[in-house]
Amino acid sequence: MSAWVTEEVLRWGMRFCSRRSLWQQRSCLVTASIKDTSTTQQLAAHIWGIRKSHTCLDSVSSVRFYSQDRIHSDLEEKEHPSSEIQTDETASRQIQKRSPFSDHLQQCGSPSDVLDLSCQYSPTIRQVSNCLTHMWSITKKMSDEQRRFELQLMFEHPAFDKLLQKAMKGVGNMRNEDLAYSLLGMVKLGVPQRSRVVQTFLRACQENLNNFDEKCLSVLSSCLEHVEDGANVGALKEGMRLVVEDRLPRIKNVMALQTMMRLVGKDAPLDLKRKLERKALSMAEQFSLPNTQYMISTMATMGFHSKPLLDVCSKTIKENLHGVPFNRLMTVLQSCRELHYRNLDLLTGISDYVASTMDIWTRKQVFLFLSVFENLAFCPTALMEAFVEKVIADPDALTLKDLLCVLKVYSSLNYDLRDQRQQFLDSLSQALDSYLPKMSAFELLKVAYHLCMLGHFPSAPLEQLLQSSTLEKFNSTAPRFVPSQERMFKTVNSCLRLDRPPLPQPLMVPSSYLGDPVPSSPPVNLLLSQGLQSVLADQTDTVLQEMVVVENIYIIDGVITKPLPNHISVTEAGSCAGEESSPAESSQRIAVVCTSHSGFCYGTSNPRGPLAVKIRHLKILGYNHVLVTEQELQSASEEKRIDLLRERIFPEHHRSDAQPQAEHLGS
């Protein structure tokens, strides 16, 4: 009977050894040992012979944490260069997919369930990787509160440390894909990044980097985005850049190229970024719509502004806006902001598209669109016009957060409300009144600031802001005002003083909240100064003053005082009638203001926020304004700079000079 058992067990072992995983063989071995001890010895010797013949296993006692070689444990079979072993591996994978462990793993609904399963079975090295990946996959779908609770249970579970120990000891046996996914899973699950297990996996990735395919590199890149810098991380990133540069000529797939572009990171050498740019442009005809969206965010990840590449992607997106979902549109716009890239056709197209499909967007989505456009300094005229009608129709639907967003966007972009202005602002004031008792002091300041910039002065929020009880809260929250608060108070005070709104009682901001009464004067703009002096060299009846401070608020780069065109005839007519005209009535003051492009809405000459308020107040004070940008002065030659200033300061001379030329050309 004993001999028969021995023969049958050996026959069974030879039939299924190549098909069954080793952990199953060990299970059968234990079962056989219950029946007959001699059978156990023979079967163990037979299995050892199979191991030796296929060179699949090393001694269990030798554990290497860092190795480029493929070390095989007694828990699973690994890749072998011979075609026979590859065939056996394929069969083993098919059986593993049908194994009870894999089936049970897919049914686990929490990290603790996975850990309980690992206690019931002895998972292979690949199954350890699957456990870590599945645990991360489960938790990322949970709410924040549930995730925190489940992760706490996971860290307290006694099997979690054992699972990490097993992963660390078997790291040398892992396939590259399992290695990358295991590291990503551990990092995402919150395993301390300075821990031995994470550092061991980082080191193993370094040693196997040359064998990583594009998918493994992509997973590793996603992981490193969430890992703090360190010696192993720095070496790994540098190695990845070398791999990217080496494989770049052989890339023929757009997604593979974008993966490589994301791998290099923001601190990659400019020369490598240029090579990636040239490769991408050579493959531009292959770009699908998702490719173009992903390419823009990829360039933001690289921190690389490539205008030719961005223009190609923008054109495709603009022509297919109906096929781009909200999240991707927002990602494109936010990436454009990070890259300091603005394409007028793209931005206008998105504004028109959102305005024409207003009903399909949620209120939150519309506010996000408005906010990101404001951050880009672009005025989405179509969208803002459509939104005005929404606000007027139902102002009570706006929350306090919504109101703060609307006020900020419309005051910053200086949108012309035209005949809807009063109705729109009254609707906002009506909605604000219900939130006044709930507002914090800083929220009141922001509301008053934006309303004053819009030239709208409802008494309720202004009176509540300037009450002593409200002002005292600013002193209690901080020993000194932050610059933004001081700037807001100054704007509110200047608007109350110069706009002179009809309020029930006069209001003013206490001087203690205004900071330095006299603004610090910036240095003279030499290009502008030289240009103005050249323009006025032959104007004997004009006077130029530079860096003039007006009302202790605004600094004007140059003030030109010149007589009115009909001053002589008016004086003569007055003297004949026995009357005299005052100097103010007989002269004109021109305020030349030099500003940057950021002072205007992108693609227009419409001044934004603070610049618009400054111009409004200069008009109240009797100045005509002339705006010149720093970029215009710096990019033009001296001759063109003088012509530019002369045309804007003396437009009547320019028109009179141009008319004879036109008549001459017509003749």
Side-chain angles (χ1 to χ4, degrees):
M1 183 69 177
S2 175
W4 180 85
V5 171
T6 301
E7 182 180 358
E8 287 297 312
V9 170
L10 287 175
R11 186 181 297 112
W12 175 90
M14 295 180 67
R15 185 184 304 121
F16 294 100
C17 182
S18 62
R19 295 176 56 195
R20 297 176 64 89
S21 62
L22 290 180
W23 70 268
Q24 292 173 307
Q25 293 176 28
R26 280 178 48 182
S27 176
C28 295
L29 182 64
V30 173
T31 304
S33 67
I34 298 175
K35 296 182 178 180
D36 190 83
T37 306
S38 61
T39 302
T40 302
Q41 295 173 351
Q42 294 180 34
L43 182 57
H46 175 71
I47 294 176
W48 173 253
I50 295 174
R51 290 177 180 175
K52 186 175 180 181
S53 64
H54 289 287
T55 63
C56 289
L57 299 173
D58 277 349
S59 174
V60 176
S61 61
S62 63
V63 178
R64 290 192 289 172
F65 293 157
Y66 317 113
S67 175
Q68 295 180 0
D69 300 329
R70 296 191 176 276
I71 310 171
H72 299 289
S73 69
D74 62 340
L75 299 178
E76 68 172 347
E77 297 181 23
K78 287 291 182 180
E79 295 177 350
H80 192 278
S82 68
S83 59
E84 293 180 0
I85 299 301
Q86 289 176 356
T87 304
D88 291 342
E89 183 192 11
T90 303
S92 177
R93 285 179 181 175
Q94 293 174 350
I95 293 173
Q96 186 179 16
K97 290 179 181 178
R98 299 193 299 268
S99 68
F101 184 89
S102 300
D103 293 338
H104 292 318
L105 181 63
Q106 295 303 317
Q107 297 174 6
C108 292
S110 71
S112 298
D113 292 344
V114 177
L115 295 173
D116 291 340
L117 181 66
S118 70
C119 295
Q120 298 173 18
Y121 291 83
S122 178
T124 65
I125 296 301
R126 187 176 184 187
Q127 289 169 347
V128 168
S129 175
N130 292 341
C131 286
L132 292 169
T133 303
H134 190 66
M135 290 162 72
W136 163 55
S137 178
I138 294 170
T139 56
K140 72 179 181 180
K141 299 175 183 177
M142 297 178 178
S143 64
D144 292 342
E145 184 177 356
Q146 184 183 5
R147 186 184 302 112
R148 284 193 296 269
F149 176 73
E150 291 292 347
L151 290 179
Q152 182 179 355
L153 292 179
M154 179 193 74
F155 280 109
E156 294 173 354
H157 200 293
F160 186 57
D161 185 61
K162 293 180 182 179
L163 189 69
L164 294 182
Q165 289 288 342
K166 194 163 190 175
M168 184 170 64
K169 291 180 180 179
V171 68
N173 300 331
M174 282 191 178
R175 301 180 313 145
N176 293 330
E177 184 176 346
D178 294 337
L179 192 64
Y181 273 110
S182 297
L183 179 59
L184 178 62
M186 286 187 287
V187 170
K188 290 288 190 178
L189 288 170
V191 177
Q193 296 179 7
R194 298 292 181 183
S195 61
R196 185 183 177 192
V197 62
V198 172
Q199 295 299 315
T200 299
F201 270 77
L202 287 171
R203 181 70 180 273
C205 288
Q206 292 179 42
E207 295 170 350
N208 290 277
L209 195 58
N210 286 332
N211 300 322
F212 274 26
D213 59 16
E214 293 164 1
K215 181 179 180 181
C216 295
L217 287 172
S218 177
V219 174
L220 185 58
S221 175
S222 300
C223 176
L224 293 182
E225 291 179 8
H226 306 279
V227 181
E228 299 174 357
D229 288 336
N232 284 330
V233 175
L236 194 52
K237 287 182 177 179
E238 184 60 32
M240 291 169 71
R241 289 177 193 138
L242 294 174
V243 169
V244 169
E245 194 165 7
D246 177 65
R247 298 183 184 179
L248 188 58
R250 301 190 296 274
I251 295 177
K252 296 182 179 180
N253 180 270
V254 176
M255 285 299 296
L257 174 63
Q258 291 173 335
T259 298
M260 296 300 182
M261 293 174 73
R262 283 179 173 262
L263 290 177
V264 301
K266 291 187 177 182
D267 52 346
L270 181 60
D271 181 60
L272 177 56
K273 292 182 179 180
R274 292 292 185 193
K275 289 180 181 178
L276 290 165
E277 176 192 28
R278 289 193 292 270
K279 182 70 175 182
L281 288 172
S282 69
M283 301 172 67
E285 294 182 357
Q286 303 178 31
F287 287 2
S288 64
L289 180 59
N291 288 154
T292 59
Q293 302 157 26
Y294 196 62
M295 183 63 75
I296 293 179
S297 62
T298 295
M299 282 188 276
T301 302
M302 291 175 61
F304 181 59
H305 180 117
S306 168
K307 192 174 185 305
L309 198 52
L310 287 166
D311 287 344
V312 169
C313 296
S314 296
K315 182 180 179 182
T316 302
I317 294 172
K318 194 260 180 183
E319 293 172 351
N320 299 275
L321 283 171
H322 60 280
V324 186
F326 170 78
N327 289 337
R328 292 185 181 177
L329 266 183
M330 288 301 299
T331 301
V332 166
L333 291 172
Q334 289 166 351
S335 299
C336 288
R337 182 194 174 195
E338 291 180 33
L339 293 168
H340 303 288
Y341 169 78
R342 289 174 293 188
N343 183 292
L344 189 59
D345 290 338
L346 175 64
L347 297 178
T348 304
I350 295 176
S351 170
D352 294 344
Y353 170 63
V354 176
S356 63
T357 57
M358 181 76 78
D359 293 336
I360 71 172
W361 310 102
T362 66
R363 187 178 61 193
K364 182 178 179 180
Q365 289 173 336
V366 173
F367 282 116
L368 288 172
F369 275 124
L370 288 171
S371 181
V372 74
F373 278 130
E374 189 269 331
N375 289 331
L376 286 164
F378 171 75
C379 183
T381 305
L383 176 58
M384 296 183 79
E385 183 176 356
F387 188 70
V388 165
E389 297 176 359
K390 287 278 187 181
V391 172
I392 293 174
D394 189 12
D396 295 332
L398 301 176
T399 65
L400 177 57
K401 186 177 180 181
D402 296 340
L403 288 167
L404 290 172
C405 177
V406 172
L407 288 171
K408 180 185 178 185
V409 170
Y410 279 77
S411 63
S412 173
L413 297 177
N414 189 31
Y415 174 68
D416 185 8
L417 294 162
R418 297 186 295 278
D419 55 341
Q420 293 180 309
R421 171 183 171 80
Q422 196 59 45
Q423 192 176 3
F424 175 70
L425 295 176
D426 287 343
S427 299
L428 292 180
S429 300
Q430 172 190 332
L432 280 169
D433 287 343
S434 61
Y435 292 106
L436 287 179
K438 307 174 186 177
M439 286 188 197
S440 65
F442 186 55
E443 287 172 339
L444 269 172
L445 177 57
K446 288 194 291 185
V447 165
Y449 170 73
H450 294 306
L451 286 171
C452 288
M453 291 182 71
L454 286 166
H456 186 59
F457 303 93
S459 59
L462 291 170
E463 289 176 356
Q464 186 167 329
L465 170 66
L466 298 177
Q467 289 176 356
S468 58
S469 58
T470 304
L471 293 173
E472 288 173 359
K473 294 179 182 178
F474 290 97
N475 294 327
S476 62
T477 54
R480 185 176 179 83
F481 286 134
V482 294
S484 62
Q485 292 180 352
E486 187 176 286
R487 175 176 52 83
M488 289 181 185
F489 270 118
K490 283 184 174 181
T491 301
V492 171
N493 186 65
S494 61
C495 289
L496 290 174
R497 188 152 56 92
L498 296 176
D499 287 286
R500 297 179 181 177
L503 297 170
Q505 58 179 346
L507 297 174
M508 62 179 296
V509 180
S511 58
S512 57
Y513 293 86
L514 300 176
D516 192 352
V518 179
S520 57
S521 180
V524 175
N525 188 316
L526 294 179
L527 292 177
L528 178 62
S529 177
Q530 294 171 0
L532 290 176
Q533 292 175 11
S534 299
V535 169
L536 302 177
D538 55 347
Q539 302 287 332
T540 58
D541 54 350
T542 59
V543 177
L544 172 64
Q545 296 172 283
E546 297 184 272
M547 308 311 292
V548 177
V549 179
V550 178
E551 295 286 327
N552 289 334
I553 305 171
Y554 302 115
I555 299 174
I556 305 176
D557 296 273
V559 175
I560 300 172
T561 305
K562 66 174 184 176
L564 290 171
N566 298 326
H567 170 54
I568 297 178
S569 59
V570 170
T571 303
E572 292 174 353
S575 62
C576 295
E579 298 177 356
E580 294 183 1
S581 60
S582 65
E585 295 174 349
S586 60
S587 63
Q588 179 184 13
R589 290 183 300 175
I590 301 175
V592 182
V593 178
C594 184
T595 184
S596 64
H597 273 318
S598 61
F600 301 89
C601 292
Y602 175 69
T604 71
S605 58
N606 182 40
R608 298 175 57 218
L611 180 59
V613 175
K614 181 177 182 177
I615 293 171
R616 187 176 83 214
H617 288 167
L618 289 177
K619 288 180 179 178
I620 293 173
L621 294 170
Y623 290 91
N624 293 333
H625 67 278
V626 170
L627 298 178
V628 183
T629 64
E630 296 172 355
Q631 290 79 0
E632 287 176 325
L633 296 175
Q634 293 172 358
S635 61
S637 63
E638 183 178 359
E639 183 179 354
K640 291 184 178 179
R641 192 184 310 133
I642 294 172
D643 290 340
L644 172 68
L645 292 172
R646 181 178 289 113
E647 177 185 346
R648 295 189 183 177
I649 297 171
F650 302 108
E652 65 279 1
H653 293 175
H654 177 73
R655 285 193 296 269
S656 62
D657 291 342
Q659 185 175 359
Q661 294 179 7
E663 292 176 353
H664 176 70
L665 291 173
S667 62

